[in-house]
Amino acid sequence: MFDLTFDTDGVAKKFGLEGTLKTAQIIETGHINNTYLLYYDMGGNKYNKYILQNINTNVFKNPAGLMENIVAVTGYLKERIRESGGDPERETLTFLPADNGNYFYADENGRHWRVYRFVDGTYTRDSIDRPETFYDAGEAFGRFQSMLSGFPIETLHDTIPDFHNTKKRFAALREAVENNLSGRLEFARAEVDFALSKEGEASVLVNLSDAGELPMRVTHNDTKLNNVLFDNKTNKGICVIDLDTVMPGLSLYDFGDAIRFGANSR
């Protein structure tokens, strides 16, 4: 549940933010972390905007490792973006260190916080309005993977172990079907039977990876449309966000997840 009764400015100031906090508003998109947009008055009619997030440690049980991943990946991206003549302040996220030297702050209630700069002149979309939108999002995710092709993936933590392990996911499905804890199996029998008929296909990528026939890459693992920032002027996808699930994986995971989202009309 979102909360604005905590000392927003006090938490944010742990990250060295300057100016006077004028407003803090809840960002309700996203389902995992609590997210707030902060406006800091710098005087002279100038404002700096930041995103403050409460990391959901029920989902991400190693916030230190998670932030190590994100800082390393965004730092690497900034170098590649500079080399290509791009703008590293707009084409990847910029996280700020806390006064403890880490890129997160744990408060007295055990909540873990982080701050990054808001990317001005951008917007997100939750649904595909035209084919070009989906193409531009795919191009942004493809560029993200391409720029990270030389990143040392052995240095990354698994933020959610077995997140895309389809063999284990299928085993969990079988267990859920056998237990039928909700008592609703018969209402979904046709769908369940269809899913169970695909068992042979569910293990293809994992088996190829285990056999060394598919290389591991730095993958985003949550390639939804609303994890891309689009430029207000060009409508092009310029920045990939929501980097909590960045970890070693197969590029086909990202492709498949994007197609799953893109093919959904709701």
Side-chain angles (χ1 to χ4, degrees):
M1 179 179 294
F2 286 99
D3 177 20
L4 268 177
T5 62
F6 63 91
D7 182 8
T8 312
D9 190 39
V11 171
K13 284 295 179 66
K14 294 289 184 180
F15 295 86
L17 304 190
E18 298 179 352
T20 303
L21 178 65
K22 301 304 287 186
T23 61
Q25 66 186 66
I26 295 169
I27 304 297
E28 296 191 0
T29 56
H31 306 291
I32 306 299
N33 304 310
N34 292 345
T35 304
Y36 309 88
L37 175 59
L38 310 182
Y39 288 78
Y40 274 83
D41 187 350
M42 304 301 291
N45 204 30
K46 293 182 180 180
Y47 289 85
N48 282 337
K49 290 184 277 187
Y50 302 93
I51 296 293
L52 170 69
Q53 285 187 316
N54 175 204
I55 302 171
N56 187 333
T57 52
N58 291 319
V59 175
F60 302 107
K61 302 184 184 303
N62 179 12
L66 180 149
M67 290 310 300
E68 284 180 17
N69 281 6
I70 290 176
V71 171
V73 164
T74 52
Y76 189 93
L77 286 172
K78 285 182 183 297
E79 291 301 316
R80 302 289 82 76
I81 292 166
R82 288 190 189 96
E83 290 171 1
S84 65
D87 183 351
E89 297 305 312
R90 284 178 55 77
E91 295 175 34
T92 192
L93 298 178
T94 300
F95 286 80
L96 304 182
D99 58 12
N100 59 12
N102 298 318
Y103 280 82
F104 65 93
Y105 162 69
D107 66 20
E108 63 277 5
N109 296 311
R111 294 175 296 188
H112 289 69
W113 302 90
R114 65 184 175 202
V115 169
Y116 61 89
R117 296 185 186 279
F118 181 82
V119 182
D120 260 321
T122 63
Y123 64 93
T124 60
R125 297 197 64 90
D126 290 318
S127 60
I128 297 169
D129 57 334
R130 57 197 178 99
E132 291 80 6
T133 299
F134 193 31
Y135 178 89
D136 289 338
E139 193 171 49
F141 281 121
R143 186 167 58 249
F144 177 84
Q145 276 202 2
S146 178
M147 285 192 295
L148 289 168
S149 62
F151 186 92
I153 61 172
E154 67 278 0
T155 64
L156 292 178
H157 303 270
D158 281 332
T159 57
I160 304 180
D162 295 318
F163 187 53
H164 279 308
N165 188 321
T166 45
K167 292 177 74 171
K168 290 192 174 182
R169 292 294 182 100
F170 202 93
L173 171 64
R174 279 202 174 279
E175 182 179 356
V177 170
E178 291 170 6
N179 293 334
N180 189 23
L181 296 178
S182 68
R184 295 180 295 179
L185 177 60
E186 291 309 312
F187 296 102
R189 175 57 69 180
E191 291 80 4
V192 168
D193 287 345
F194 173 80
L196 293 179
S197 73
K198 302 299 180 180
E199 183 170 11
E201 298 173 28
S203 60
V204 170
L205 295 183
V206 176
N207 290 342
L208 288 173
S209 177
D210 290 344
E213 297 182 40
L214 286 178
M216 298 297 287
R217 304 291 191 199
V218 179
T219 46
H220 185 277
N221 294 298
D222 192 17
T223 49
K224 298 183 300 185
L225 181 67
N226 59 10
N227 283 335
V228 174
L229 296 181
F230 293 87
D231 184 79
N232 284 351
K233 295 180 179 179
T234 67
N235 293 315
K236 298 291 185 181
I238 62 166
C239 181
V240 172
I241 61 174
D242 197 1
L243 306 178
D244 293 332
T245 53
V246 170
M247 53 187 165
L250 301 176
S251 59
L252 287 171
Y253 292 160
D254 278 1
F255 177 78
D257 201 25
I259 295 300
R260 174 195 61 78
F261 184 87
N264 189 343
S265 60
R266 298 185 181 185

